[in-house]
Each structure stands twice: as structure tokens, then as C-alpha cells.
Amino acid sequence: MSSKRYPEEFKIEAVKQVTEKGHSVSVVAARLGTTSHSLYAWIKCDGPNSLQYQAQCDESAEIGRLKKELQRVTEKRYILKKAAVYFASQSD
């Protein structure tokens, strides 16, 4: 029994072929030259139900929320700057 090591990128792409593209585990495993048992283990570790995947999704959601908040605050600042210029010109 060989204990061939695969890079993380390889494992993630293999999992994506099963979870996102809908290919069967046996077909992907045969195409990539690995066992279906290994692929199932990778899906368990890196698939949509894994803790690591959930943490990554949570981080992505937080980044999206922060980007929206930054845009809102930037627009507010822009409006306030324009108002300050307007009122400064009115007092002259």
C-alpha cells in the first residue's frame, strides 16, 4: 500500500469536482489516479460540511459585510464633505 502525498491544492480541486461540478467520486478518483476512499476523506475534511469550509464561508460573509459598511461610510463622508464646502461658501 503506497502512502503517496498529494498537495492541498490538488485535494481541494478534487473535492470541488465532486461537490461543485457534480462528478461522481469513483469517476474523479479514477481520473486523478487516487482511491475513492481517499477522496471521501478529503471531502470530509475540505468539503462543504467541514468546519474549515464553514469558517472560510463565515470569513467571506464577514468580508462582504465589511465592504458594504466601508462603502456606506465612505459615501456618508463624501456627502458631509460636500455639505461642509457648501455651507462654507454660503457664509462668505
Side-chain angles (χ1 to χ4, degrees):
M1 194 161 161
S2 88
S3 60
K4 186 174 180 180
R5 295 268 182 197
Y6 295 97
E8 279 301 310
E9 296 82 22
F10 179 85
K11 294 177 185 179
I12 291 169
E13 287 302 316
V15 169
K16 282 183 181 178
Q17 287 186 22
V18 174
T19 58
E20 293 177 6
K21 296 181 181 173
H23 300 294
S24 72
V25 172
S26 58
V27 170
V28 173
R31 191 178 336 133
L32 297 176
T34 185
T35 65
S36 57
H37 177 74
S38 294
L39 191 49
Y40 277 118
W42 299 343
I43 291 170
K44 186 176 180 181
C45 290
D46 298 325
N49 295 329
S50 71
L51 293 176
Q52 180 181 1
Y53 182 83
Q54 294 298 328
Q56 184 179 6
C57 288
D58 291 345
E59 287 176 1
S60 295
E62 178 70 8
I63 289 171
R65 186 189 68 74
L66 290 172
K67 283 182 178 180
K68 287 179 185 176
E69 178 71 15
L70 176 62
Q71 182 181 6
R72 187 180 65 78
V73 169
T74 303
E75 288 173 357
K76 274 185 170 180
R77 189 188 73 203
Y78 177 73
I79 291 169
L80 290 173
K81 278 185 176 182
K82 287 195 79 150
V85 168
Y86 174 77
F87 287 119
S89 68
Q90 291 297 319
S91 65
D92 288 340

